Amino acid sequence: MKLTRREFIKMSVSGGLVLTSGLLVPDRSVLHAAKEEFEGPLPDIDIGGIIRPPGALPEKEFRARCVSCGACVNACHVMKYDAIAVSGLKDLTNFGTPYIKDMRDFPCALCMECPPLCPTGALKPLPKEKVSMGTALIDFSLCFGWNGDVCLSCSKACPLGATVFDFYNGEWGNQPYINEGCVGCGLCVKYCPIGGSAIKVVTKKKYDSLKGSYKAGFKSLLSMKSEERYNIVYGQNLPKIMERGRLVEREYR
C-alpha cells in the first residue's frame, strides 16, 4: 500500500514509531548543540519569549489548548527537521509546550505537517504565507551585504523569496532588508554564512515594540555620508566580520 507523506507521518506519530518517553524533560545538550563559537547577532535584543511552531494560536489561547502531547515534535522528527522541542524544567512558565530550537541549526522548514496533527487545535493549518512565528532582523554590522560585499544566501534560503526581501544596491553592497512579510521560519538565520549568523528572529510582539528604532537605524545607514559610512565599515564592522569568518558550507547555493 502506497502512503502519502501526511498519512505516513500520522501513522508514525499515532503508532509511536518516534518515542515520546521523557519528552517533557528534553536533553538540554541536544537542544543547545547549536550554540556556536560566536555570540549571536544583535546581542542587545532578546527574542521576546519563545518562537512557537507554525500555525500557533495567539500565545494565551495556545497555552490554554496545548496538552503537551508531542504530536508536533514527532512530526518534525519524522520529517527529519528536528526543529521543534518542548520546554523543560528551566522554563516552568512554558513547561511541556513546544517551541522552535536555535534557528542557527534548527530552523522551521515550513513543511506545515505539524498543524494538521495537533489534536486540540493549538496549531492551526494555514498557508505558509499566513504563518506568524516571528520576524527576522538583520544585524547590519555583521551582514556581508551591508559591508562592501554581495551575498544572497538569506534571500535564496527564504521559502517566500522576493516577497520578503528588499534590496538597496549601492557602493556598500546589495544591502538586503527583510520586510514585514517575513513569517519567522529562520531558514535565513541558518544559511547566513557568517560565523554565528547575522540574522535573528524575534517574536511578532517583540518586533512591534522595536520596529520604530530598527527602521530608523536602517534609514540612517542608507542616508549616511560616504566618509562616515567608510569609517564605520572599515573601523568597526569589518574587523568583527573577519574575526567570525565566512562559513562557506552554510551559504545557500
Side-chain angles (χ1 to χ4, degrees), residues 8 12 17 30 114 134 144 147 167 171 185:
F8 172 73
S12 300
L17 294 181
V30 173
C114 54
F144 290 116
N147 292 281
F167 290 94
E171 62 178 310
C185 69

Side-chain angles (χ1 to χ4, degrees), residues 157-208:
C158 179
L160 303 183
T163 61
V164 172
F165 282 83
D166 301 319
F167 290 94
Y168 297 83
N169 298 305
E171 62 178 310
W172 295 107
N174 57 325
Q175 301 180 142
Y177 183 82
I178 301 173
N179 62 44
E180 293 182 11
C182 174
V183 300
C185 69
L187 283 167
C188 58
V189 176
K190 177 176 180 178
Y191 287 105
C192 175
I194 192 170
S197 189
I199 307 175
K200 170 184 283 186
V201 173
V202 300
T203 64
K204 289 292 186 181
K205 183 177 181 180
K206 181 68 177 182
Y207 176 73
D208 288 340

